[in-house]
């Protein structure tokens, strides 16, 4: 059973999004914090507390990109990122029918979530949206 609930984003979530976007520590770990506007963006909630955002974007016939941000620092390192990644991965494979999912992760933010979800890491050579961080960027994928 999942510990994190994925729910629709509501107007009250936007205040927290702006707060997390302005937090230097969070922005160092995730330059795109709060900017995931995928086909399927959700708020992440644990015990009725909004702790972050997640999305599925850049969907093609073969692949989809995941985005996960745990903005509430009280919930960092407790397995919620891995839980959300597992939920999104299952959705992509079972509902969207893609063959591969991936996410972009800075080396400085490489955490257990990718390992727990069996994602395989490889350097990303170039992505225009992440150019200033590309020396640190990993593209983690699961086939």
């Amino acid at each position: 059973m999942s510990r994190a609930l994925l729910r629709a984003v509501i107007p009250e979530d936007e205040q927290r999004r702006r707060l997390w976007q302005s937090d230097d520590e969070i922005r160092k770990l995730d330059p795109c914090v709060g900017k995931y506007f995928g086909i399927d963006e959700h708020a992440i909630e644990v015990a009725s507390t909004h702790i972050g955002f997640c999305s599925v974007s850049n969907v093609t016939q073969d692949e989809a990109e995941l985005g996960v941000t745990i903005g509430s620092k009280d919930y960092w390192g407790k397995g919620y990122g891995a839980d959300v990644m597992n939920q999104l991965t299952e959705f992509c494979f079972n509902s969207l029918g893609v063959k591969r999912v991936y996410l972009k992760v800075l080396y400085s933010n490489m955490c257990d979530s990718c390992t727990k979800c069996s994602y395989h890491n490889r350097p990303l050579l170039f992505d225009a949206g992440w150019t200033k961080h590309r020396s640190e960027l990993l593209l983690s994928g699961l086939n």
Side-chain angles (χ1 to χ4, degrees), residues 45-50:
E45 191 172 278
V46 174
S48 300
T49 300
H50 175 219

Side-chain angles (χ1 to χ4, degrees), residues 41-57:
E41 182 183 43
H42 287 86
I44 304 167
E45 191 172 278
V46 174
S48 300
T49 300
H50 175 219
I51 68 164
F53 292 96
C54 64
S55 69
V56 176
S57 61

Side-chain angles (χ1 to χ4, degrees), residues 18-28 33 73:
R18 286 189 297 278
L19 179 69
W20 295 332
Q21 285 173 327
S22 66
D23 184 296
D24 289 337
E25 184 178 11
I26 294 172
R27 283 201 336 258
K28 274 186 201 173
V33 62
K73 295 175 189 178

Side-chain angles (χ1 to χ4, degrees), residues 19 29 34-35 37 40 44 46 48 50 55 69 75 78 81 84 101-102 104 106 109-110 112-113 115 122 129 132 134:
L19 179 69
L29 297 173
K35 296 179 185 173
F37 301 106
D40 192 34
I44 304 167
V46 174
S48 300
H50 175 219
S55 69
T69 299
Y75 293 85
K78 297 185 178 175
V84 171
V101 294
Y102 66 94
K104 297 170 186 171
L106 295 176
N109 191 28
M110 194 62 194
D112 291 336
S113 294
T115 305
R122 64 184 172 95
K132 83 175 198 183
R134 76 182 198 196

Side-chain angles (χ1 to χ4, degrees), residues 108-140:
S108 58
N109 191 28
M110 194 62 194
C111 58
D112 291 336
S113 294
C114 290
T115 305
K116 288 177 187 175
C117 297
S118 301
Y119 277 67
H120 309 287
N121 304 322
R122 64 184 172 95
L124 179 66
L125 299 176
F126 181 77
D127 183 290
W130 290 62
T131 303
K132 83 175 198 183
H133 300 284
R134 76 182 198 196
S135 64
E136 295 188 355
L137 189 62
L138 274 181
L139 181 66
S140 292

Side-chain angles (χ1 to χ4, degrees), residues 36-40 55-60 63-67 102:
Y36 299 115
F37 301 106
I39 63 163
D40 192 34
S55 69
V56 176
S57 61
N58 298 319
V59 177
T60 68
E63 65 184 18
E65 180 178 349
L66 308 183
Y102 66 94

